[in-house]
Coordinates of all heavy atoms in Angstrom, one line a residue:
P73 N 89.0 115.8 136.1 CA 89.2 115.4 134.7 C 89.4 116.5 133.7 O 90.1 116.4 132.7 CB 87.9 114.6 134.4 CG 86.9 115.1 135.3 CD 87.6 115.5 136.6
M74 N 88.7 117.7 133.9 CA 88.8 118.8 133.0 C 90.2 119.4 133.1 O 90.8 119.7 132.0 CB 87.8 119.8 133.4 CG 86.4 119.4 133.1 SD 85.1 120.6 133.6 CE 85.4 121.9 132.3
A76 N 92.9 117.7 134.1 CA 93.9 116.7 133.6 C 93.9 116.7 132.1 O 95.0 116.6 131.5 CB 93.4 115.3 134.2
Q77 N 92.8 116.8 131.5 CA 92.8 116.8 130.0 C 93.5 118.1 129.5 O 94.2 118.1 128.5 CB 91.3 116.7 129.5 CG 91.3 116.7 128.0 CD 89.8 116.5 127.5 OE1 88.9 117.0 128.2 NE2 89.6 115.9 126.3
A78 N 93.2 119.2 130.2 CA 93.8 120.5 129.8 C 95.3 120.5 129.9 O 96.0 121.1 129.1 CB 93.2 121.7 130.6
V79 N 95.8 119.8 130.9 CA 97.3 119.6 131.1 C 97.9 118.9 129.9 O 98.9 119.3 129.3 CB 97.6 118.9 132.4 CG1 99.1 118.5 132.5 CG2 97.2 119.7 133.6
E80 N 97.3 117.8 129.5 CA 97.8 117.1 128.3 C 97.7 117.9 127.1 O 98.6 117.8 126.2 CB 97.0 115.8 128.2 CG 97.3 114.7 129.2 CD 98.7 114.1 129.1 OE1 99.3 114.2 127.9 OE2 99.2 113.6 130.1
L81 N 96.7 118.7 127.0 CA 96.5 119.6 125.8 C 97.4 120.9 125.9 O 97.3 121.7 124.9 CB 95.1 119.9 125.5 CG 94.1 118.7 125.3 CD1 92.7 119.2 125.2 CD2 94.5 118.0 124.0
R240 N 77.9 121.5 134.1 CA 77.4 120.4 133.3 C 78.0 119.0 133.7 O 77.3 118.0 133.8 CB 77.7 120.6 131.8 CG 77.3 119.5 130.9 CD 77.8 119.6 129.5 NE 79.3 119.6 129.4 CZ 80.0 118.5 129.4 NH1 79.4 117.3 129.5 NH2 81.3 118.6 129.4
L241 N 79.3 119.0 134.0 CA 79.9 117.8 134.4 C 79.7 117.5 135.9 O 79.6 116.4 136.3 CB 81.5 117.9 134.1 CG 82.3 116.6 134.3 CD1 81.8 115.5 133.3 CD2 83.7 116.9 134.1
S295 N 92.5 107.4 139.6 CA 92.1 106.8 138.3 C 91.4 107.8 137.5 O 91.5 107.8 136.2 CB 91.1 105.6 138.6 OG 91.7 104.6 139.4
T296 N 90.7 108.8 138.1 CA 90.1 109.9 137.4 C 91.1 110.7 136.6 O 91.0 111.0 135.4 CB 89.3 110.8 138.3 OG1 88.2 110.0 138.9 CG2 88.7 111.9 137.5
V297 N 92.2 111.0 137.3 CA 93.3 111.8 136.7 C 93.9 111.0 135.6 O 94.2 111.5 134.5 CB 94.4 112.1 137.8 CG1 95.6 112.8 137.1 CG2 93.8 113.0 138.9
R298 N 94.3 109.7 135.8 CA 94.9 108.9 134.8 C 94.0 108.7 133.6 O 94.5 108.8 132.5 CB 95.3 107.5 135.4 CG 96.2 107.5 136.6 CD 97.6 107.9 136.2 NE 98.2 106.9 135.2 CZ 99.2 107.1 134.4 NH1 99.8 108.3 134.5 NH2 99.7 106.2 133.6
A299 N 92.7 108.5 133.8 CA 91.8 108.4 132.7 C 91.7 109.7 131.9 O 91.6 109.7 130.7 CB 90.4 107.9 133.2
G300 N 91.6 110.8 132.7 CA 91.6 112.1 132.0 C 92.8 112.4 131.2 O 92.7 113.0 130.1
R301 N 94.0 112.0 131.7 CA 95.2 112.2 130.9 C 95.2 111.3 129.7 O 95.6 111.7 128.6 CB 96.4 111.8 131.8 CG 96.7 112.8 132.9 CD 97.3 114.1 132.4 NE 97.7 115.0 133.4 CZ 99.0 115.2 133.8 NH1 99.9 114.5 133.2 NH2 99.3 116.0 134.7
A302 N 94.7 110.1 129.8 CA 94.6 109.2 128.7 C 93.7 109.7 127.6 O 94.0 109.6 126.4 CB 94.2 107.8 129.1
L303 N 92.6 110.3 128.0 CA 91.7 110.9 127.1 C 92.3 112.1 126.4 O 92.1 112.2 125.2 CB 90.4 111.4 127.9 CG 89.2 111.9 127.0 CD1 88.6 110.7 126.2 CD2 88.2 112.5 127.9
G304 N 93.1 112.9 127.1 CA 93.8 114.0 126.5 C 94.8 113.6 125.5 O 95.0 114.3 124.5
R305 N 95.4 112.4 125.7 CA 96.5 111.9 124.8 C 95.8 111.1 123.7 O 96.6 110.6 122.8 CB 97.4 111.0 125.5 CG 98.3 111.6 126.6 CD 99.4 110.7 127.0 NE 98.9 109.4 127.5 CZ 98.5 109.1 128.7 NH1 98.6 110.0 129.7 NH2 98.1 107.9 129.0
A306 N 94.5 110.8 123.7 CA 93.9 109.9 122.8 C 94.5 108.5 122.9 O 94.7 107.9 121.9 CB 93.9 110.4 121.4
D307 N 94.7 108.0 124.1 CA 95.3 106.7 124.3 C 94.3 105.7 124.9 O 94.1 105.5 126.1 CB 96.5 106.9 125.3 CG 97.3 105.7 125.6 OD1 97.0 104.6 125.0 OD2 98.2 105.7 126.5
G308 N 93.7 105.0 123.9 CA 92.6 104.0 124.3 C 93.2 102.8 125.0 O 92.6 102.4 126.0
Q309 N 94.3 102.3 124.6 CA 95.0 101.2 125.3 C 95.4 101.5 126.7 O 95.2 100.8 127.6 CB 96.2 100.7 124.5 CG 96.7 99.4 125.0 CD 97.9 98.9 124.2 OE1 99.0 99.6 124.2 NE2 97.8 97.8 123.5
G310 N 95.9 102.7 126.9 CA 96.3 103.2 128.2 C 95.1 103.3 129.1 O 95.2 103.0 130.3
L311 N 94.0 103.8 128.6 CA 92.8 103.9 129.3 C 92.4 102.5 129.9 O 92.1 102.4 131.1 CB 91.7 104.5 128.5 CG 90.3 104.7 129.1 CD1 90.4 105.6 130.3 CD2 89.3 105.1 128.1
K312 N 92.4 101.5 129.0 CA 91.9 100.2 129.5 C 92.9 99.6 130.4 O 92.5 99.0 131.5 CB 91.7 99.3 128.2 CG 90.7 99.8 127.3 CD 90.7 99.0 126.0 CE 89.8 99.6 124.9 NZ 89.9 98.8 123.6
L382 N 86.6 106.1 137.1 CA 87.1 105.9 135.8 C 86.1 106.6 134.8 O 86.5 107.3 133.8 CB 87.1 104.4 135.4 CG 88.2 103.6 136.1 CD1 88.0 102.1 136.0 CD2 89.6 104.0 135.5
L383 N 84.8 106.5 135.0 CA 83.8 107.1 134.2 C 83.9 108.7 134.2 O 83.8 109.3 133.2 CB 82.4 106.7 134.6 CG 82.1 105.3 134.2 CD1 80.8 104.8 135.0 CD2 81.8 105.1 132.7
R384 N 84.2 109.2 135.4 CA 84.4 110.7 135.5 C 85.7 111.1 134.8 O 85.7 112.2 134.2 CB 84.5 111.1 137.0 CG 83.2 111.0 137.7 CD 83.3 111.0 139.2 NE 82.0 110.8 139.9 CZ 81.9 110.5 141.2 NH1 82.9 110.5 142.0 NH2 80.7 110.3 141.7
G385 N 86.7 110.2 134.7 CA 87.9 110.6 134.0 C 87.6 110.8 132.5 O 88.3 111.6 131.9
V386 N 86.7 110.0 132.0 CA 86.3 110.2 130.6 C 85.1 111.1 130.4 O 84.5 111.1 129.3 CB 86.1 108.8 129.9 CG1 87.4 108.0 129.9 CG2 85.0 108.0 130.5
Q387 N 84.8 111.8 131.5 CA 83.7 112.8 131.5 C 82.4 112.3 131.1 O 81.6 112.9 130.4 CB 84.1 114.0 130.6 CG 85.4 114.6 131.0 CD 85.8 115.9 130.2 OE1 84.9 116.5 129.6 NE2 87.1 116.2 130.2
D388 N 82.1 111.1 131.7 CA 80.8 110.4 131.5 C 80.2 110.4 132.9 O 80.5 109.6 133.8 CB 81.0 109.0 131.0 CG 79.7 108.2 130.8 OD1 78.6 108.9 130.8 OD2 79.7 107.0 130.7
F441 N 81.5 101.3 132.1 CA 82.8 101.7 131.7 C 83.4 100.8 130.6 O 84.1 101.3 129.7 CB 83.8 101.8 132.9 CG 85.2 102.1 132.5 CD1 85.5 103.4 132.3 CD2 86.2 101.2 132.4 CE1 86.8 103.8 131.9 CE2 87.5 101.5 132.0 CZ 87.8 102.8 131.7
R444 N 82.0 101.9 127.3 CA 82.6 103.2 126.9 C 84.0 103.0 126.4 O 84.4 103.6 125.4 CB 82.5 104.2 128.0 CG 81.1 104.7 128.3 CD 80.4 105.3 127.1 NE 81.1 106.4 126.6 CZ 80.9 107.7 126.9 NH1 79.9 108.0 127.8 NH2 81.5 108.7 126.4
A445 N 84.8 102.2 127.2 CA 86.2 102.0 126.8 C 86.3 101.3 125.4 O 87.2 101.7 124.6 CB 86.9 101.2 127.9
G447 N 84.2 101.6 123.1 CA 83.6 102.4 122.0 C 84.5 103.6 121.6 O 84.2 104.2 120.6
Y448 N 85.5 103.9 122.4 CA 86.4 105.1 122.0 C 87.1 104.8 120.7 O 87.9 103.8 120.7 CB 87.3 105.4 123.1 CG 86.6 106.2 124.2 CD1 86.5 105.7 125.5 CD2 86.1 107.5 124.0 CE1 85.9 106.3 126.5 CE2 85.5 108.2 125.0 CZ 85.4 107.6 126.2 OH 84.7 108.3 127.2
R449 N 87.0 105.6 119.7 CA 87.7 105.5 118.5 C 89.0 106.4 118.6 O 89.1 107.4 117.9 CB 86.8 106.0 117.3 CG 85.6 105.1 117.1 CD 84.8 105.5 115.9 NE 83.7 104.7 115.7 CZ 82.8 104.8 114.7 NH1 82.9 105.9 113.9 NH2 81.8 104.0 114.6
I450 N 89.9 105.9 119.5 CA 91.1 106.6 119.7 C 92.2 105.6 119.7 O 92.0 104.4 119.6 CB 91.1 107.4 121.0 CG1 90.7 106.5 122.2 CG2 90.1 108.6 120.9 CD1 90.7 107.3 123.5
K451 N 93.4 106.1 119.7 CA 94.6 105.2 119.5 C 94.6 104.0 120.5 O 94.3 104.1 121.6 CB 95.9 106.0 119.8 CG 97.1 105.2 119.5 CD 98.4 106.1 119.8 CE 98.5 106.4 121.3 NZ 99.7 107.1 121.5

Side-chain angles (χ1 to χ4, degrees):
M74 294 177 68
Q77 185 179 26
V79 170
E80 287 292 336
L81 297 174
R240 178 190 62 80
L241 189 62
S295 300
T296 299
V297 176
R298 298 289 299 163
R301 290 288 188 100
L303 188 65
R305 295 191 306 269
D307 182 3
Q309 187 181 66
L311 176 65
K312 296 172 189 176
L382 291 167
L383 287 164
R384 289 165 186 168
V386 297
Q387 302 185 24
D388 180 14
F441 177 77
R444 290 302 301 267
Y448 280 115
R449 296 181 178 179
I450 54 182
K451 185 180 68 176

